[in-house]
Amino acid sequence: MQLTFENKTLDQLAIELIQAYEPPDGYYLGFSGGKDSVVIEHLTHRAGVKYSAHYCVSPIDPPQIYSFIKEWYPQVKWDNHAKNFWNVHVMRHGLPTRLARWCCEIIKEAGGEGRVKILGMRREESLGRSKYKCFDNHGKRGDWLLPILNWSEADVWQYIAEHNLPFSALYHHGFRRIGCVLCPFAGKIEVKLSYEMFPKIVQNWKLAADRYIQKRIERGTPMTHKTGEEYFNWWIARK
């Protein structure tokens, strides 16, 4: 299929991209429960291609995400790749940072091995994503199709409004982006709201920091931080 760009709306171009790269076994659509995944699911459905939507279960997602997907997207399959997250993965790697974001690989990027993935990433979200291509190979993470890569946040909300699509109530509380609680890439507003709305998950992070530091003390491993509290405070300061 040859793509043309003249006199096409953003959604028309996205649909043509989805149709152009359709694999024989259908797409693996990554559905996070956020506004971008709502849009790509609707676009993929409109494109009339074969696909299956998957939510990679995250133990650090807001519980409202679970409720939203169950209510509005019962067809989405739940994939659990992050078992023993707190007791195994955090103890092995420590708290995730922007430079050591191991959590995404374990939670969000583990599904769809060997399949072409449709994902809702957009260039304006980060410097790293600004360099992505609409269709590209990402090594062991496979081939990615990013049909709304060039969309702005306003474009996403306009599409949701025009097609009367459901979206998580968390956006009404002030979240611009929703996802893992205290994600290293979360903004100050999201961090503040997380303390107010998800105290149990925040407490789990603090307990994990305590256990991690204690484990290193027992092993005699050299440390910059002497206590779990000091470690957590450094981590949440995002310096």
Side-chain angles (χ1 to χ4, degrees):
M1 178 178 181
Q2 185 174 0
L3 297 177
T4 59
F5 298 94
E6 294 182 2
N7 302 319
K8 298 288 181 66
T9 61
L10 285 173
D11 60 328
Q12 289 172 332
L13 287 171
I15 289 171
E16 288 192 9
L17 276 171
I18 294 168
Q19 293 170 338
Y21 289 100
E22 181 183 7
D25 58 343
Y27 288 109
Y28 176 101
L29 188 146
F31 192 88
S32 68
K35 63 184 186 303
D36 299 327
S37 62
V38 165
V39 169
I40 61 168
E41 196 282 332
H42 191 261
L43 289 167
T44 306
H45 178 76
R46 286 178 61 194
V49 299
K50 182 179 179 181
Y51 74 101
S52 57
H54 298 255
Y55 169 60
C56 291
V57 181
S58 170
I60 47 179
D61 264 356
Q64 290 88 340
I65 292 293
Y66 301 164
S67 302
F68 172 74
I69 296 175
K70 288 178 180 178
E71 178 179 0
W72 293 99
Y73 292 90
Q75 76 276 20
V76 170
K77 299 177 181 180
W78 291 49
D79 300 345
N80 194 342
H81 305 286
K83 297 178 181 179
N84 299 316
F85 177 80
W86 298 108
N87 295 327
V88 175
H89 297 296
V90 178
M91 292 304 99
R92 180 181 302 158
H93 302 288
L95 304 185
T97 66
R98 293 191 177 196
L99 297 180
R101 195 178 50 171
W102 55 264
C103 47
C104 286
E105 183 176 351
I106 291 172
I107 299 174
K108 301 293 186 180
E109 299 171 0
E113 183 176 356
R115 298 181 62 185
V116 178
K117 301 180 187 179
I118 289 187
L119 304 172
M121 298 177 186
R122 294 181 293 107
R123 281 201 173 103
E124 74 169 15
E125 292 178 306
S126 70
L127 179 61
R129 293 183 179 183
S130 69
K131 300 174 183 178
Y132 285 171
K133 299 177 181 178
C134 287
F135 185 85
D136 203 2
N137 178 271
H138 289 262
K140 64 179 181 179
R141 294 181 291 178
D143 292 331
W144 290 2
L145 177 64
L146 311 177
I148 62 170
L149 183 63
N150 294 316
W151 290 35
S152 67
E153 183 178 7
D155 294 328
V156 170
W157 283 118
Q158 182 176 343
Y159 185 89
I160 288 174
E162 288 177 353
H163 294 273
N164 195 29
L165 301 181
F167 57 90
S168 172
L170 289 172
Y171 291 108
H172 290 305
H173 289 278
F175 286 88
R176 292 189 60 187
R177 297 174 65 179
I178 59 176
C180 298
V181 174
L182 299 188
C183 169
F185 285 90
K188 292 182 179 180
I189 293 176
E190 283 75 18
V191 170
K192 180 177 182 296
L193 289 170
S194 294
Y195 270 86
E196 297 172 357
M197 298 182 64
F198 318 120
K200 289 184 179 180
I201 301 179
V202 173
Q203 182 62 19
N204 284 339
W205 279 121
K206 292 181 178 180
L207 292 173
D210 285 335
R211 292 197 299 269
Y212 181 74
I213 292 297
Q214 184 60 39
K215 180 180 178 181
R216 291 173 67 90
I217 291 175
E218 293 171 357
R219 289 183 175 180
T221 307
M223 299 177 298
T224 302
H225 309 286
K226 303 304 181 183
T227 67
E229 182 180 10
E230 182 182 328
Y231 179 38
F232 178 83
N233 289 337
W234 165 83
W235 178 68
I236 201 64
R238 305 291 157 82
K239 294 182 180 180

